[in-house]
PDB file of all heavy atoms in Angstrom:
ATOM      1  N   ASN X 462     137.855  93.835  51.305  1.00  0.00           N
ATOM      2  CA  ASN X 462     138.521  94.142  50.047  1.00  0.00           C
ATOM      3  C   ASN X 462     139.337  92.964  49.533  1.00  0.00           C
ATOM      4  O   ASN X 462     139.812  92.975  48.420  1.00  0.00           O
ATOM      5  CB  ASN X 462     139.432  95.357  50.232  1.00  0.00           C
ATOM      6  CG  ASN X 462     140.453  95.134  51.332  1.00  0.00           C
ATOM      7  OD1 ASN X 462     140.091  94.712  52.418  1.00  0.00           O
ATOM      8  ND2 ASN X 462     141.715  95.417  51.051  1.00  0.00           N
ATOM      9  N   GLN X 463     139.509  91.921  50.356  1.00  0.00           N
ATOM     10  CA  GLN X 463     140.278  90.761  49.927  1.00  0.00           C
ATOM     11  C   GLN X 463     139.385  89.618  49.433  1.00  0.00           C
ATOM     12  O   GLN X 463     139.873  88.543  49.151  1.00  0.00           O
ATOM     13  CB  GLN X 463     141.116  90.252  51.092  1.00  0.00           C
ATOM     14  CG  GLN X 463     142.187  91.245  51.528  1.00  0.00           C
ATOM     15  CD  GLN X 463     142.960  90.672  52.680  1.00  0.00           C
ATOM     16  OE1 GLN X 463     142.420  90.510  53.771  1.00  0.00           O
ATOM     17  NE2 GLN X 463     144.204  90.338  52.442  1.00  0.00           N
ATOM     18  N   LEU X 464     138.089  89.839  49.396  1.00  0.00           N
ATOM     19  CA  LEU X 464     137.184  88.773  48.972  1.00  0.00           C
ATOM     20  C   LEU X 464     137.157  88.648  47.456  1.00  0.00           C
ATOM     21  O   LEU X 464     137.116  89.642  46.724  1.00  0.00           O
ATOM     22  CB  LEU X 464     135.773  89.039  49.493  1.00  0.00           C
ATOM     23  CG  LEU X 464     135.584  88.969  51.012  1.00  0.00           C
ATOM     24  CD1 LEU X 464     134.149  89.301  51.367  1.00  0.00           C
ATOM     25  CD2 LEU X 464     135.946  87.591  51.523  1.00  0.00           C
ATOM     26  N   LEU X 465     137.187  87.404  46.985  1.00  0.00           N
ATOM     27  CA  LEU X 465     137.090  87.116  45.549  1.00  0.00           C
ATOM     28  C   LEU X 465     135.721  86.522  45.260  1.00  0.00           C
ATOM     29  O   LEU X 465     135.264  85.627  45.974  1.00  0.00           O
ATOM     30  CB  LEU X 465     138.172  86.114  45.141  1.00  0.00           C
ATOM     31  CG  LEU X 465     139.628  86.530  45.354  1.00  0.00           C
ATOM     32  CD1 LEU X 465     140.539  85.330  45.119  1.00  0.00           C
ATOM     33  CD2 LEU X 465     139.991  87.674  44.425  1.00  0.00           C
ATOM     34  N   THR X 466     135.059  87.033  44.223  1.00  0.00           N
ATOM     35  CA  THR X 466     133.794  86.435  43.780  1.00  0.00           C
ATOM     36  C   THR X 466     134.111  85.414  42.699  1.00  0.00           C
ATOM     37  O   THR X 466     134.562  85.765  41.597  1.00  0.00           O
ATOM     38  CB  THR X 466     132.834  87.511  43.236  1.00  0.00           C
ATOM     39  OG1 THR X 466     132.624  88.482  44.265  1.00  0.00           O
ATOM     40  CG2 THR X 466     131.502  86.895  42.831  1.00  0.00           C
ATOM     41  N   LEU X 467     133.898  84.132  43.009  1.00  0.00           N
ATOM     42  CA  LEU X 467     134.275  83.053  42.092  1.00  0.00           C
ATOM     43  C   LEU X 467     133.061  82.195  41.765  1.00  0.00           C
ATOM     44  O   LEU X 467     132.170  82.010  42.600  1.00  0.00           O
ATOM     45  CB  LEU X 467     135.360  82.178  42.731  1.00  0.00           C
ATOM     46  CG  LEU X 467     136.640  82.883  43.192  1.00  0.00           C
ATOM     47  CD1 LEU X 467     137.533  81.901  43.931  1.00  0.00           C
ATOM     48  CD2 LEU X 467     137.370  83.491  42.005  1.00  0.00           C
ATOM     49  N   THR X 468     133.063  81.651  40.549  1.00  0.00           N
ATOM     50  CA  THR X 468     132.035  80.687  40.159  1.00  0.00           C
ATOM     51  C   THR X 468     132.620  79.288  40.293  1.00  0.00           C
ATOM     52  O   THR X 468     133.724  79.017  39.814  1.00  0.00           O
ATOM     53  CB  THR X 468     131.584  80.918  38.704  1.00  0.00           C
ATOM     54  OG1 THR X 468     131.104  82.257  38.583  1.00  0.00           O
ATOM     55  CG2 THR X 468     130.469  79.940  38.315  1.00  0.00           C
ATOM     56  N   ILE X 469     131.896  78.407  40.959  1.00  0.00           N
ATOM     57  CA  ILE X 469     132.360  77.030  41.154  1.00  0.00           C
ATOM     58  C   ILE X 469     131.535  76.107  40.263  1.00  0.00           C
ATOM     59  O   ILE X 469     130.307  76.057  40.366  1.00  0.00           O
ATOM     60  CB  ILE X 469     132.241  76.631  42.636  1.00  0.00           C
ATOM     61  CG1 ILE X 469     133.173  77.520  43.471  1.00  0.00           C
ATOM     62  CG2 ILE X 469     132.578  75.165  42.834  1.00  0.00           C
ATOM     63  CD1 ILE X 469     133.033  77.347  44.960  1.00  0.00           C
ATOM     64  N   LYS X 470     132.236  75.371  39.380  1.00  0.00           N
ATOM     65  CA  LYS X 470     131.565  74.478  38.430  1.00  0.00           C
ATOM     66  C   LYS X 470     132.110  73.057  38.556  1.00  0.00           C
ATOM     67  O   LYS X 470     133.272  72.854  38.917  1.00  0.00           O
ATOM     68  CB  LYS X 470     131.791  74.948  36.982  1.00  0.00           C
ATOM     69  CG  LYS X 470     131.060  76.223  36.598  1.00  0.00           C
ATOM     70  CD  LYS X 470     131.326  76.552  35.124  1.00  0.00           C
ATOM     71  CE  LYS X 470     130.630  77.850  34.719  1.00  0.00           C
ATOM     72  NZ  LYS X 470     130.946  78.198  33.297  1.00  0.00           N
ATOM     73  N   CYS X 471     131.242  72.087  38.237  1.00  0.00           N
ATOM     74  CA  CYS X 471     131.653  70.681  38.193  1.00  0.00           C
ATOM     75  C   CYS X 471     131.476  70.214  36.743  1.00  0.00           C
ATOM     76  O   CYS X 471     130.408  69.694  36.378  1.00  0.00           O
ATOM     77  CB  CYS X 471     130.796  69.840  39.139  1.00  0.00           C
ATOM     78  SG  CYS X 471     130.840  70.416  40.847  1.00  0.00           S
ATOM     79  N   PRO X 472     132.500  70.374  35.880  1.00  0.00           N
ATOM     80  CA  PRO X 472     132.338  70.110  34.439  1.00  0.00           C
ATOM     81  C   PRO X 472     131.964  68.667  34.110  1.00  0.00           C
ATOM     82  O   PRO X 472     131.314  68.407  33.100  1.00  0.00           O
ATOM     83  CB  PRO X 472     133.704  70.479  33.849  1.00  0.00           C
ATOM     84  CG  PRO X 472     134.654  70.484  35.000  1.00  0.00           C
ATOM     85  CD  PRO X 472     133.864  70.845  36.197  1.00  0.00           C
ATOM     86  N   ASP X 473     132.391  67.712  34.944  1.00  0.00           N
ATOM     87  CA  ASP X 473     132.083  66.302  34.665  1.00  0.00           C
ATOM     88  C   ASP X 473     130.743  65.865  35.249  1.00  0.00           C
ATOM     89  O   ASP X 473     130.325  64.718  35.070  1.00  0.00           O
ATOM     90  CB  ASP X 473     133.192  65.406  35.239  1.00  0.00           C
ATOM     91  CG  ASP X 473     134.535  65.701  34.591  1.00  0.00           C
ATOM     92  OD1 ASP X 473     134.539  66.293  33.487  1.00  0.00           O
ATOM     93  OD2 ASP X 473     135.573  65.348  35.185  1.00  0.00           O
ATOM     94  N   ASN X 474     130.101  66.764  35.980  1.00  0.00           N
ATOM     95  CA  ASN X 474     128.803  66.455  36.589  1.00  0.00           C
ATOM     96  C   ASN X 474     127.831  67.596  36.292  1.00  0.00           C
ATOM     97  O   ASN X 474     127.571  68.443  37.140  1.00  0.00           O
ATOM     98  CB  ASN X 474     128.939  66.272  38.111  1.00  0.00           C
ATOM     99  CG  ASN X 474     129.841  65.113  38.466  1.00  0.00           C
ATOM    100  OD1 ASN X 474     131.057  65.229  38.403  1.00  0.00           O
ATOM    101  ND2 ASN X 474     129.243  63.980  38.808  1.00  0.00           N
ATOM    102  N   PRO X 475     127.303  67.616  35.054  1.00  0.00           N
ATOM    103  CA  PRO X 475     126.466  68.750  34.616  1.00  0.00           C
ATOM    104  C   PRO X 475     125.200  68.940  35.459  1.00  0.00           C
ATOM    105  O   PRO X 475     124.638  70.038  35.491  1.00  0.00           O
ATOM    106  CB  PRO X 475     126.102  68.389  33.166  1.00  0.00           C
ATOM    107  CG  PRO X 475     126.411  66.931  33.024  1.00  0.00           C
ATOM    108  CD  PRO X 475     127.493  66.613  33.988  1.00  0.00           C
ATOM    109  N   GLU X 476     124.752  67.866  36.178  1.00  0.00           N
ATOM    110  CA  GLU X 476     123.541  68.028  37.010  1.00  0.00           C
ATOM    111  C   GLU X 476     123.813  68.914  38.230  1.00  0.00           C
ATOM    112  O   GLU X 476     122.886  69.422  38.864  1.00  0.00           O
ATOM    113  CB  GLU X 476     122.989  66.662  37.461  1.00  0.00           C
ATOM    114  CG  GLU X 476     123.830  65.927  38.503  1.00  0.00           C
ATOM    115  CD  GLU X 476     124.984  65.143  37.889  1.00  0.00           C
ATOM    116  OE1 GLU X 476     125.159  65.216  36.648  1.00  0.00           O
ATOM    117  OE2 GLU X 476     125.687  64.456  38.655  1.00  0.00           O
ATOM    118  N   GLN X 477     125.108  69.087  38.552  1.00  0.00           N
ATOM    119  CA  GLN X 477     125.484  69.955  39.664  1.00  0.00           C
ATOM    120  C   GLN X 477     125.566  71.384  39.139  1.00  0.00           C
ATOM    121  O   GLN X 477     126.452  71.733  38.367  1.00  0.00           O
ATOM    122  CB  GLN X 477     126.849  69.518  40.225  1.00  0.00           C
ATOM    123  CG  GLN X 477     127.223  70.183  41.531  1.00  0.00           C
ATOM    124  CD  GLN X 477     126.510  69.586  42.717  1.00  0.00           C
ATOM    125  OE1 GLN X 477     126.344  68.386  42.797  1.00  0.00           O
ATOM    126  NE2 GLN X 477     126.071  70.444  43.626  1.00  0.00           N
ATOM    127  N   LYS X 478     124.631  72.229  39.545  1.00  0.00           N
ATOM    128  CA  LYS X 478     124.561  73.590  39.010  1.00  0.00           C
ATOM    129  C   LYS X 478     125.722  74.439  39.525  1.00  0.00           C
ATOM    130  O   LYS X 478     126.166  74.273  40.666  1.00  0.00           O
ATOM    131  CB  LYS X 478     123.229  74.245  39.405  1.00  0.00           C
ATOM    132  CG  LYS X 478     122.022  73.588  38.756  1.00  0.00           C
ATOM    133  CD  LYS X 478     120.738  74.275  39.183  1.00  0.00           C
ATOM    134  CE  LYS X 478     119.528  73.604  38.530  1.00  0.00           C
ATOM    135  NZ  LYS X 478     118.256  74.222  38.982  1.00  0.00           N
ATOM    136  N   PRO X 479     126.219  75.379  38.700  1.00  0.00           N
ATOM    137  CA  PRO X 479     127.284  76.284  39.137  1.00  0.00           C
ATOM    138  C   PRO X 479     126.841  77.103  40.362  1.00  0.00           C
ATOM    139  O   PRO X 479     125.667  77.471  40.480  1.00  0.00           O
ATOM    140  CB  PRO X 479     127.520  77.191  37.917  1.00  0.00           C
ATOM    141  CG  PRO X 479     127.003  76.409  36.766  1.00  0.00           C
ATOM    142  CD  PRO X 479     125.853  75.607  37.292  1.00  0.00           C
ATOM    143  N   VAL X 480     127.788  77.368  41.253  1.00  0.00           N
ATOM    144  CA  VAL X 480     127.509  78.137  42.467  1.00  0.00           C
ATOM    145  C   VAL X 480     128.474  79.306  42.541  1.00  0.00           C
ATOM    146  O   VAL X 480     129.654  79.166  42.231  1.00  0.00           O
ATOM    147  CB  VAL X 480     127.691  77.245  43.726  1.00  0.00           C
ATOM    148  CG1 VAL X 480     127.430  78.048  44.991  1.00  0.00           C
ATOM    149  CG2 VAL X 480     126.784  76.037  43.680  1.00  0.00           C
ATOM    150  N   GLU X 481     127.956  80.477  42.944  1.00  0.00           N
ATOM    151  CA  GLU X 481     128.829  81.634  43.119  1.00  0.00           C
ATOM    152  C   GLU X 481     129.168  81.794  44.593  1.00  0.00           C
ATOM    153  O   GLU X 481     128.289  81.739  45.453  1.00  0.00           O
ATOM    154  CB  GLU X 481     128.136  82.903  42.600  1.00  0.00           C
ATOM    155  CG  GLU X 481     129.081  84.084  42.494  1.00  0.00           C
ATOM    156  CD  GLU X 481     128.430  85.311  41.867  1.00  0.00           C
ATOM    157  OE1 GLU X 481     128.402  85.415  40.618  1.00  0.00           O
ATOM    158  OE2 GLU X 481     127.930  86.158  42.642  1.00  0.00           O
ATOM    159  N   LYS X 482     130.471  81.961  44.894  1.00  0.00           N
ATOM    160  CA  LYS X 482     130.922  82.084  46.279  1.00  0.00           C
ATOM    161  C   LYS X 482     131.884  83.252  46.418  1.00  0.00           C
ATOM    162  O   LYS X 482     132.663  83.543  45.506  1.00  0.00           O
ATOM    163  CB  LYS X 482     131.644  80.800  46.733  1.00  0.00           C
ATOM    164  CG  LYS X 482     130.716  79.630  47.009  1.00  0.00           C
ATOM    165  CD  LYS X 482     130.043  79.801  48.344  1.00  0.00           C
ATOM    166  CE  LYS X 482     129.071  78.666  48.627  1.00  0.00           C
ATOM    167  NZ  LYS X 482     128.315  78.907  49.878  1.00  0.00           N
ATOM    168  N   LYS X 483     131.827  83.911  47.589  1.00  0.00           N
ATOM    169  CA  LYS X 483     132.814  84.939  47.927  1.00  0.00           C
ATOM    170  C   LYS X 483     133.820  84.317  48.890  1.00  0.00           C
ATOM    171  O   LYS X 483     133.443  83.897  49.983  1.00  0.00           O
ATOM    172  CB  LYS X 483     132.128  86.145  48.573  1.00  0.00           C
ATOM    173  CG  LYS X 483     131.243  86.951  47.621  1.00  0.00           C
ATOM    174  CD  LYS X 483     130.675  88.166  48.326  1.00  0.00           C
ATOM    175  CE  LYS X 483     129.706  88.935  47.445  1.00  0.00           C
ATOM    176  NZ  LYS X 483     130.336  89.535  46.279  1.00  0.00           N
TER     177      LYS X 483
END
Side-chain angles (χ1 to χ4, degrees):
N462 57 311
Q463 295 180 292
L464 293 178
L465 299 170
T466 303
L467 304 174
T468 302
I469 296 173
K470 289 182 181 177
C471 303
D473 298 340
N474 298 78
E476 71 277 3
Q477 190 78 40
K478 293 180 180 177
V480 179
E481 192 175 275
K482 285 282 178 186
K483 291 183 184 295

